[in-house]
Amino acid sequence: MYIESGFKWNFNRSGIHMSYAINAWLNGYKKIFCYSGRERRRDFGFFLLIQLIVFFVIAFIASRLFGGSGVVAEIVAYGFVLVSILTMLPYNVRRLHDAGQSGWWCLGWLVFAAAFIGAALVMKPTVGDNAYGPDPRAGL
């Protein structure tokens, strides 16, 4: 039995090309300060995917150029993470607008991250060695 769903696969007409994905990624940088409007799911997904790939490429190159665990390599990686957050925030706000939601929902990220960081800062350490390794304060 065949049920007509109304959805038709047409790969020739709606095929996704690499240039589309790269343009979706570049769109995040072109609209870095634009918090109005809407964005498609596909564009946001391509932005996140390419941003992740670029991060790993930059981290790999930085580790090769400046040493495996060098401070400069870490600064380059953290700098790219900061730039990623600055471009992802307006993209996510526009994506929320497309879903009919307020962009203020992005503040939930900050509250959630602050809660985890705050918990990590106030948790009391175990004294002595534990299952995860030796006590880092043992030599102090």
Side-chain angles (χ1 to χ4, degrees):
M1 178 165 180
Y2 177 74
I3 299 174
E4 180 66 36
S5 66
F7 182 78
K8 297 182 181 184
W9 292 96
N10 186 350
F11 292 108
N12 293 332
R13 189 174 65 89
S14 65
I16 298 171
H17 302 283
M18 190 60 141
S19 63
Y20 183 88
I22 292 173
N23 284 331
W25 178 65
L26 291 174
N27 189 36
Y29 288 96
K30 289 176 187 174
K31 295 181 176 180
I32 194 168
F33 299 112
C34 178
Y35 289 87
S36 62
R38 297 167 61 169
E39 289 292 340
R40 297 174 63 165
R41 275 186 300 190
R42 178 172 40 179
D43 294 350
F44 186 59
F46 279 132
F47 172 77
L48 293 176
L49 177 67
I50 294 176
Q51 196 74 356
L52 184 67
I53 292 168
V54 169
F55 170 75
F56 283 121
V57 168
I58 287 176
F60 178 77
I61 291 170
S63 69
R64 294 293 178 213
L65 289 177
F66 303 112
S69 62
V71 174
V72 176
E74 290 179 13
I75 291 172
V76 169
Y78 287 133
F80 186 74
V81 168
L82 180 64
V83 169
S84 294
I85 290 170
L86 291 175
T87 55
M88 193 177 354
L89 184 63
Y91 221 131
N92 196 21
V93 167
R94 293 190 306 270
R95 182 66 206 117
L96 285 168
H97 288 168
D98 190 48
Q101 301 297 319
S102 171
W104 288 105
W105 280 104
C106 289
L107 285 179
W109 283 11
L110 299 175
V111 171
F112 192 66
F116 273 109
I117 292 170
L121 288 173
V122 299
M123 287 189 316
K124 294 194 185 270
T126 57
V127 177
D129 298 347
N130 65 16
Y132 300 101
D135 189 353
R137 294 169 309 281
L140 299 180

